Amino acid sequence: MTDIDLAVLERHGLKRDEYDRIVRALGREPTMTELGIFSVMWSEHCSYKSSRVHLRKLPTTGTRVLQGPGENAGAVDVGHGLAAVFKIESHNHPSFIEPYQGAATGVGGIIRDIFTMGARPIALLNSLRFGSLDGPEGARTRRIVEGVVAGIAGYGNSIGIPTVGGEIAFDDSYAGNPLVNVFCLGIVRADALVKGSAAGTGNPVYYVGAKTGRDGIHGATMASAEFDEKSAEKRPAVQVGDPFMEKLLLEACLELMKTDALVGVQDMGAAGLTCSTSEMGARGGSGIEIDVSLVPQRETGMTPYEIMLSESQERMLLVVKKGREAEVEAIFEKWDLHAVHIGDVTTDGILRVTERGTVVAEIPNTALVDQAPVYDRPRTRPSYLDQVARLDESILADSRQPSSKDALFALLASPTIASKRWVYRQYDHMVRTNTLVLAGMGAGVVRIKGTPSALAISTDGNGRYTYLNPRLGAMLALAEAARNVACAGAVPIGATNCLNFGNPERPEIMWQFAEAVEGLGDACRALDVPITGGNVSLYNETDGQAIYPTPIIGVVGLIEDASRVVARAFRQAGDEVVVLGEHLGELGGSEYLSVVHGVVGGAPPRLDLDRERALIALLTRAASAGLLQSAHDCSDGGIAVTIAESAFDTSGIGVAVDLPRSISTAGTLFGESASRAVISVKPEHLGKLMALAGELGVPAARVGRTGGSSIAIRVDGRSELECSLAEAENIWSNALGKYFAGRAA
Amino acid sequence: MKARVFVTLKPSVFDPQGQTIADALHSMGYGDVGDVRQGKYFELELKSGSADRAKTLAAEVADKLLANPVIESYRIEVE
Amino acid sequence: MKARVFVTLKPSVFDPQGQTIADALHSMGYGDVGDVRQGKYFELELKSGSADRAKTLAAEVADKLLANPVIESYRIEVE
Amino acid sequence: MRFAVVVFPGSNCDHDAYHAAKHVLGQDAELVWHKNTSLEGADVVILPGGFSHGDYLRTGAIARFSPIMAAVAEFARQGGPVLGICNGFQILLESGMLPGAMLRNRDLKFHCEHVHVAVERTDTPFTCQAVRGQVLKLPIAHGEGNYYADQDVIRTLESDGRIIFRYCRPDGQRDPRANPNGSVNDIAGICNEQRNVVGLMPHPERACELVLGSADGLVLFESVVSALTTQGALGAVASLLG
Ligand SMILES: Nc1ncnc2c1ncn2[C@@H]1O[C@H](COP(=O)(O)OP(=O)(O)O)[C@@H](O)[C@H]1O
Ligand SMILES: [Mg+2]
């Protein structure tokens, strides 16, 4: 019967041996529809076949963890009987094809993952990577940036979830493959967490939301293949987001979850109906039988194959208790949604798809979900590592440096460091009136209404570091995210991660991946921050050119007393400026080398996890004791940029400091040594702060005072850099917006 | 010389705007209204002399700026 | 039966979208493009039998929903 | 005092307005579903911000047909105080309860940031506790807040003192750069002829607690509470007019 040849397999992104595996699992040749179903469920995106063996090494348990990896999102206990549900997910490939819709539907997808857990989403963040805004690809990149930012804004603003933070970096390695990673966090009563499982034989299975079209068919398989000129044809109809529909789904589902009529729910994300039916069945240890002819359809003449594989947005699959149908339908009707009964839960553990009664697919859920291939792919250490590790020290000779002031201004104007106001001003970051730290002022901080607490969230990752040293780069990413929430006064309690890498079938890439995951695991254990979930995005390559390996880590921190929240900016003149941590003058992999010398090389900053842990303890204890006026993590651009940024958005509070020289002047000012922060404290609190630092073994040095109208930096007593705060802030504030002035929307 | 450019979503692409309008009209009792699709409409004043030149120019502009080829197609009229 | 509704801003109303597009085109070197106005374009599937009835229905829908008389005017074509 | 906050399916600042009225001011507050036909004895009506029906067509264009709007119009006709915030303002314009219309922001971008507005008139139930010329720091969050009306309408609004809020610098001075969206005459908020229906683009409900960056929005809520407690809804407006 089957006309399945290698060409067909190729189109489905299936290898010959994977096909044989399918035949074994079924005990027969699959039908075309079944092949389609296997192809998406066994795609890299859905099956994690290349990453699974490594992800197992991540610590996923802890006293606060209520839900680890495996459900639609993870959850941690935040006290007061509440849970924070959060996850990060990538939408890289769709955003490259259609920036606005790709980014918008990415936001839509992660929001669904959160409210399917029963949580009310209260915060969004995003981590973005683009090519350089200048140069040959500059024009295209600027279009992509405008589209992605507008898409994130268009979706989040409309549905009314504040986008409270995130980060953006620009580097040529992302020119042909931008990264769009979106994070969402929601709050739910800990005892009301909803699972995505189908149980209870005879319980009805409902479809609700947008109608099914031919959108994104094979989106999942596409997200698992590199781009090349041919992928143009492979392109599925682009998915268009409908935030209003999602808003209706969000409210209706949360209303339904207040009743006990719901058994389980899952959004139809990647691999749509196929993924939701089989995963829910597998989780519930049961089967699901649906009739595709009952599925609401937007287009005519859709085949079962197309209906099962469609990735139309804003659709949910629900299993409800038998006998409660009327009640459930009424709730959706209130929101002008029509829940359609498309099938039922069965005992036999089989995903059975019928079309007007005739069976078109019959597959054991376990075959799709658990028996998916798992690969321990070959790994080899990339040879480039040795070349980049060597750094021509002579460029660091002070004689060859531009003036420190020029270097600082160049860094402040670098899009990666410059103010992102042009971006976050387009995001509604205040809706729901929980936002305690306004966008751009540090980690995203939202209060938890009805409790005295707040949550701080930061997403971070440095592709350059990870390129130079995958293991260390991933550790530094987790450390920076944790440090950022600590700077807001929050104790890190959980993390999620999005691992953006190249083609895992290349041993060098697989090596980077394995190293990064191990580093991440070590850092999580040392800082005692469990991973509750995440997402893996592989094949981030264009024409064989891989992006920098880029793990993005989202860390969630808890602030017991929301009134103790700390932000980046100085609060008043006359406060003491203190630098926490040790300066090692490390320039390897720094923004300085890249921006000022056009060099990407050297070793990324060392990371001593005990020191990082101590710094985090100090920051959070000092904050809760009310000792901190401001706190700012030291990262891209080093201490000079960190000090300057602490003076920005203060309506003119300058600063004068004297720093100890470490190795070179450039290293002192622009080195990116880890585990450091710049804080300001009231003079009367300096003693207490220093005592606490001593107690916790954190190097702390009072380096100067806030005040005046300039940024003045001395090194070992010698004046090294002095500039007008207004001039510096002006450069930093307008650098990014300049690229987009007067372009058509 | 005036060129009018009509940009519409490709038929296969979902049009939430049109859908919402259709739903609203139905709830307002307009049962006779079926499918609704929303597009963009541009009027360009062109200095170019001939109708053909105008059409070519408009097409170029549509390709470059007015329409997004990934999800939209366009039609041009010159008067 | 299909009705096409074109909604445009009244001439007296400043059109920020059209203006931005015109500016962009000029900066892209399209000197021959003068004024640009952006409007909305709707395609309505109508069950009504006659062209006249369709036109009246479309006009009613445009008056009530598709166009805001304070800033916009519209034109209807039926095919 | 009973606040009714109307909930359209795409409203997303409904809970913020409810929170301000109920938890910050400690007043009675009800969320009223847009399909209801009655305001259930409310003393004040708030049309909240958001994207009432997705608003892909025009902000507020579809919301004006919601069943509740007839009740809101009648409530206003009888002099009841109605406040339209952001999308609520746009709905009031679309439904003709206030004159004019909204265009997309001058730069075609959504703006979310704190701006400053000057209180031009204190003879409305929502500004009676403010001082004339008082500068309020309030957040905006909109893509279509570029207020437009034809010359005659603008002239009448100016001459009848119906422009209630104007964008300005922190020092209260008018300045084109302080106008975030291109609104005619820096208009941020207006009222109807009876002065009991007020609409504005900025979000006072987001500025009722200092921890959120400003508490300047409180004065709108305190004003209507005092206006109503002193004379009751209808009397309040009558006395302001007289
Ligand atoms: N890098 C990772 N670390 C930990 N868990 C992960 C990671 N990537 C994926 N997971 C987990 O695997 C499960 C499936 O993820 P995913 O396929 O992205 O869900 P979705 O179907 O919403 O896309 C989720 O529970 C997710 O948290
Ligand atoms: Mg999911």
Side-chain angles (χ1 to χ4, degrees):
Chain A
M1 49 138 254
T2 71
D3 35 23
I4 295 170
D5 53 22
L6 284 170
V8 174
L9 294 183
E10 156 93 13
R11 247 184 294 116
H12 285 78
L14 285 165
K15 304 269 188 300
R16 176 79 227 182
D17 57 326
E18 290 177 331
Y19 179 73
D20 300 337
R21 195 185 176 92
I22 292 172
V23 175
R24 258 179 280 124
L26 285 176
R28 60 176 167 81
E29 303 264 308
T31 64
M32 212 33 141
T33 304
E34 289 170 332
L35 186 77
I37 290 174
F38 271 103
S39 74
V40 290
M41 288 306 291
W42 287 11
S43 70
E44 190 63 61
H45 183 83
C46 294
S47 72
Y48 291 85
K49 56 191 170 191
S50 304
S51 54
R52 229 171 243 269
V53 292
H54 304 284
L55 296 180
R56 288 202 193 101
K57 299 177 187 153
L58 294 171
T60 59
T61 57
T63 51
R64 286 185 178 273
V65 176
L66 299 174
Q67 176 63 60
E71 282 286 337
N72 285 307
V76 294
D77 182 343
V78 295
H80 310 282
L82 300 176
V85 175
F86 59 93
K87 183 168 177 232
I88 191 168
E89 202 155 82
S90 65
H91 232 218
N92 305 341
H93 294 74
S95 302
F96 181 60
I97 294 173
E98 212 307 280
Y100 184 101
Q101 295 299 343
T105 52
V107 173
I110 194 63
I111 291 171
R112 286 193 297 280
D113 278 339
I114 301 312
F115 75 74
T116 49
M117 298 290 291
R120 157 77 62 182
I122 63 165
L124 289 166
L125 287 85
N126 55 80
S127 278
L128 311 177
R129 297 292 181 274
F130 302 105
S132 166
L133 293 170
D134 307 287
E137 303 291 347
R140 182 179 69 170
T141 297
R142 292 196 294 275
R143 249 189 327 276
I144 295 174
V145 173
E146 282 210 309
V148 165
V149 170
I152 291 171
Y155 210 102
N157 297 353
S158 171
I159 199 165
I161 302 168
T163 301
V164 298
E167 41 112 46
I168 308 179
F170 301 85
D171 186 286
D172 288 330
S173 91
Y174 305 103
N177 194 123
L179 302 185
V180 175
N181 291 184
V182 287
F183 171 104
C184 185
L185 178 142
I187 295 292
V188 58
R189 265 190 18 248
D191 59 13
L193 271 170
V194 178
K195 300 290 176 76
S197 81
T201 309
N203 277 338
V205 174
Y206 274 91
Y207 170 115
V208 63
K211 290 184 178 148
T212 295
R214 292 190 171 88
D215 329 2
I217 289 177
H218 276 164
T221 35
M222 186 190 65
S224 311
E226 318 174 17
F227 276 115
D228 52 35
E229 62 291 338
K230 283 206 309 307
S231 52
E233 311 123 40
K234 250 193 273 158
R235 275 174 197 178
V238 167
Q239 308 153 43
V240 172
D242 183 354
F244 180 53
M245 170 61 78
E246 179 128 321
K247 166 77 168 165
L248 301 179
L249 283 173
L250 163 65
E251 298 300 341
C253 286
L254 290 181
E255 198 170 316
L256 171 62
M257 287 160 176
K258 290 207 199 85
T259 74
D260 65 345
L262 186 70
V263 174
V265 57
Q266 179 155 339
D267 69 298
M268 297 187 218
L273 205 43
T274 293
C275 182
S276 47
T277 47
S278 52
E279 281 190 2
M280 283 184 80
R283 290 203 197 97
S286 48
I288 285 187
E289 174 166 343
I290 59 166
D291 187 327
V292 287
S293 61
L294 299 173
V295 171
Q297 294 159 45
R298 199 180 75 234
E299 299 178 69
T300 52
M302 289 186 72
T303 64
Y305 178 101
E306 292 172 319
I307 295 167
M308 289 305 290
L309 269 59
S310 163
E311 293 189 357
S312 294
Q313 296 291 303
E314 291 93 19
R315 303 180 302 160
M316 309 286 287
L317 192 78
L318 300 87
V319 174
V320 309
K321 291 182 183 159
K322 196 165 183 49
R324 308 286 294 272
E325 292 86 347
E327 189 182 340
V328 172
E329 288 166 21
I331 289 176
F332 285 105
E333 289 300 332
K334 171 190 168 188
W335 293 92
D336 301 316
L337 296 169
H338 313 293
V340 183
H341 179 183
I342 61 166
D344 304 283
V345 177
T346 62
T347 39
D348 57 17
I350 287 179
L351 167 60
R352 189 174 292 99
V353 182
T354 65
E355 188 182 33
R356 288 183 206 73
T358 39
V359 175
V360 294
E362 213 164 12
I363 311 173
N365 286 316
T366 52
L368 291 168
V369 180
D370 308 331
Q371 288 165 34
V374 173
Y375 297 135
D376 189 352
R377 297 192 185 274
R379 306 184 284 281
T380 45
R381 181 172 180 283
S383 48
Y384 76 83
L385 286 170
D386 297 322
Q387 290 126 44
V388 296
R390 267 183 263 102
L391 185 58
D392 170 9
E393 299 294 335
S394 73
I395 63 169
L396 301 182
D398 285 1
S399 56
R400 298 215 0 216
Q401 304 305 321
S403 85
S404 297
K405 178 179 167 184
D406 292 347
L408 175 64
F409 282 7
L411 285 166
L412 294 177
S414 138
T416 297
I417 288 178
S419 167
K420 304 302 183 298
R421 180 165 175 274
W422 178 86
V423 173
Y424 63 71
R425 193 179 68 170
Q426 296 183 57
Y427 301 150
D428 187 338
H429 49 275
M430 305 185 202
V431 63
R432 303 199 68 81
T433 60
N434 293 325
T435 310
L436 300 185
V437 173
L438 293 180
M441 297 299 285
V445 180
V446 286
R447 65 179 171 185
I448 309 174
K449 283 207 183 90
T451 79
S453 318
L455 295 172
I457 311 153
S458 184
T459 58
D460 293 283
N462 185 317
R464 203 185 300 128
Y465 289 172
T466 315
Y467 169 73
L468 295 172
N469 182 333
R471 178 180 293 256
L472 184 51
M475 297 171 87
L476 286 164
L478 186 275
E480 183 181 352
R483 197 184 314 138
N484 271 325
V485 301
C487 281
V491 178
I493 59 173
T496 182
N497 69 111
C498 194
L499 304 173
N500 306 274
F501 286 74
N503 177 350
E505 295 160 45
R506 288 167 48 195
E508 296 76 11
I509 301 285
M510 208 55 228
W511 187 87
Q512 293 175 331
F513 185 87
E515 283 286 302
V517 171
E518 295 208 349
L520 176 58
D522 292 345
C524 288
R525 277 180 288 270
L527 300 183
D528 180 12
V529 188
I531 295 282
T532 66
N535 177 252
V536 175
S537 172
L538 301 174
Y539 298 95
N540 288 288
E541 310 200 348
T542 301
D543 299 328
Q545 187 52 48
I547 58 164
Y548 281 159
T550 311
I552 299 290
I553 316 299
V555 168
V556 174
L558 177 63
I559 307 168
E560 302 277 359
D561 176 356
S563 69
R564 297 300 202 191
V565 168
V566 181
R568 151 174 70 82
F570 294 143
R571 300 271 289 284
Q572 63 182 25
D575 282 343
E576 306 286 354
V577 177
V578 176
V579 174
L580 304 176
E582 198 178 13
H583 320 296
L584 302 171
E586 300 160 294
L587 283 168
S590 65
E591 187 72 10
Y592 168 84
L593 281 188
S594 159
V595 169
V596 176
H597 295 283
V599 172
V600 173
R606 269 153 286 176
L607 178 61
D608 177 333
L609 287 162
D610 295 332
R611 282 188 175 280
E612 189 69 57
R613 193 190 175 90
L615 174 70
I616 290 170
L618 172 59
L619 286 165
T620 50
R621 280 177 58 181
S624 62
L627 300 179
L628 301 183
Q629 288 278 74
S630 73
H632 188 18
D633 155 60
C634 182
S635 60
D636 299 336
I639 202 85
V641 166
T642 309
I643 287 169
E645 285 177 344
S646 303
F648 296 159
D649 299 307
T650 60
S651 42
I653 302 174
V655 58
V657 299
D658 188 345
L659 303 169
R661 181 181 172 90
S662 42
I663 301 183
S664 64
T665 306
T668 308
L669 296 176
F670 308 117
E672 298 178 1
S673 295
S675 316
R676 295 184 300 165
V678 171
I679 63 173
S680 64
V681 300
K682 291 184 180 151
E684 62 267 34
H685 289 151
L686 186 61
K688 279 213 205 74
L689 187 279
M690 287 305 192
L692 189 55
E695 180 190 328
L696 294 167
V698 177
R702 177 204 175 276
V703 295
R705 260 218 183 70
T706 62
S709 61
S710 67
I711 299 172
I713 301 180
R714 299 171 155 275
V715 174
D716 285 348
R718 216 178 100 261
S719 173
E720 182 57 42
L721 188 170
E722 177 144 18
C723 64
S724 126
L725 169 58
E727 186 184 4
E729 181 159 8
N730 195 16
I731 291 169
W732 176 81
S733 305
N734 301 318
L736 191 57
K738 276 209 187 88
Y739 285 95
F740 303 96
R743 292 217 37 257
Chain B
M1 190 140 248
K2 185 182 260 178
R4 298 145 94 235
V5 182
F6 308 86
V7 177
T8 48
L9 286 168
K10 292 176 178 168
S12 59
V13 177
F14 175 46
D15 173 14
Q17 320 190 35
Q19 187 61 53
T20 329
I21 293 168
D23 295 345
L25 289 173
H26 295 154
S27 65
M28 286 161 67
Y30 288 99
D32 282 357
V33 181
D35 202 20
V36 177
R37 306 275 295 174
Q38 179 170 348
K40 298 184 197 123
Y41 169 62
F42 302 89
E43 288 176 353
L44 312 176
E45 289 295 343
L46 301 176
K47 297 197 185 64
S48 45
S50 79
D52 289 0
R53 292 252 318 295
K55 201 154 187 151
T56 341
L57 177 54
E60 197 178 322
V61 165
D63 284 325
K64 283 224 178 108
L65 198 61
L66 304 183
N68 173 354
V70 181
I71 50 174
E72 296 170 326
S73 51
Y74 62 86
R75 210 180 74 254
I76 295 176
E77 286 173 9
V78 178
E79 57 173 44
Chain C
M1 194 140 244
K2 184 181 262 181
R4 301 148 92 234
V5 183
F6 308 88
V7 176
T8 48
L9 285 171
K10 292 175 175 170
S12 56
V13 180
F14 173 69
D15 172 10
Q17 283 169 286
Q19 188 57 56
T20 317
I21 292 167
D23 296 347
L25 289 174
H26 295 152
S27 69
M28 285 160 71
Y30 289 99
D32 282 358
V33 181
D35 199 20
V36 176
R37 309 277 296 171
Q38 177 167 351
K40 296 177 188 142
Y41 168 62
F42 304 89
E43 289 175 353
L44 312 176
E45 290 295 342
L46 301 176
K47 295 196 186 64
S48 45
S50 78
D52 289 2
R53 291 254 314 295
K55 199 152 189 155
T56 344
L57 178 55
E60 195 179 323
V61 166
D63 284 325
K64 275 217 179 121
L65 188 61
L66 301 184
N68 177 347
V70 178
I71 44 172
E72 298 168 321
S73 52
Y74 63 86
R75 211 179 74 253
I76 294 175
E77 287 173 9
V78 179
E79 57 173 47
Chain D
M1 183 86 23
R2 193 125 169 291
F3 283 74
V5 179
V6 177
V7 181
F8 298 95
S11 297
N12 61 35
C13 304
D14 45 347
H15 288 273
D16 301 353
Y18 177 88
H19 174 76
K22 180 112 178 175
H23 303 123
V24 182
L25 276 92
Q27 299 293 325
D28 272 2
E30 289 289 335
L31 293 168
V32 179
W33 185 234
H34 75 118
K35 288 179 185 171
N36 291 12
T37 50
S38 146
L39 288 162
E40 289 137 17
D43 302 304
V44 189
V45 172
I46 296 184
L47 300 183
F51 290 68
S52 47
H53 281 77
D55 293 6
Y56 303 122
L57 173 62
R58 280 190 324 279
T59 51
I62 296 175
R64 70 179 248 237
F65 296 104
S66 284
I68 195 68
M69 287 309 290
V72 173
E74 177 56 20
F75 177 81
R77 208 186 50 71
Q78 292 180 11
V82 176
L83 181 66
I85 302 170
C86 196
N87 191 230
F89 184 13
Q90 294 160 334
I91 292 168
L92 290 170
L93 296 175
E94 283 282 337
S95 59
M97 292 174 67
L98 290 175
M102 286 299 174
L103 299 171
R104 287 188 63 183
N105 293 352
R106 189 173 35 193
D107 65 358
L108 305 181
K109 294 257 184 292
F110 189 99
H111 283 230
C112 176
E113 61 199 333
H114 279 95
V115 299
H116 295 84
V117 296
V119 179
E120 298 270 313
R121 304 280 301 206
T122 57
D123 53 357
T124 80
F126 296 99
T127 52
C128 58
Q129 290 297 300
V131 180
R132 189 159 188 169
Q134 184 175 345
V135 175
L136 309 178
K137 180 186 173 196
L138 302 174
I140 56 166
H142 61 253
E144 291 183 29
N146 183 352
Y147 180 79
Y148 171 88
D150 65 44
Q151 283 313 314
D152 304 349
V153 174
I154 296 294
R155 239 177 268 113
T156 332
L157 289 177
E158 291 283 2
S159 58
D160 296 359
R162 286 168 54 190
I163 294 164
I164 311 305
F165 303 101
R166 258 191 249 265
Y167 298 110
C168 64
R169 298 195 314 226
D171 64 6
Q173 293 309 305
R174 280 175 68 176
D175 178 340
R177 284 162 304 173
N179 176 336
N181 49 35
S183 296
V184 187
N185 294 13
D186 303 326
I187 290 172
I190 59 173
C191 73
N192 64 343
E193 247 175 288
Q194 280 175 281
R195 312 192 74 79
N196 61 312
V197 177
V198 172
L200 78 166
M201 286 316 290
H203 286 273
E205 83 284 14
R206 293 188 186 187
C208 290
E209 300 164 87
L210 275 175
V211 291
L212 300 176
S214 168
D216 292 358
L218 267 177
V219 70
L220 278 82
F221 295 89
E222 287 163 348
S223 291
V224 75
V225 169
S226 81
L228 291 176
T229 37
T230 43
Q231 305 95 333
L234 308 187
V237 180
S239 78
L240 290 164
L241 297 175

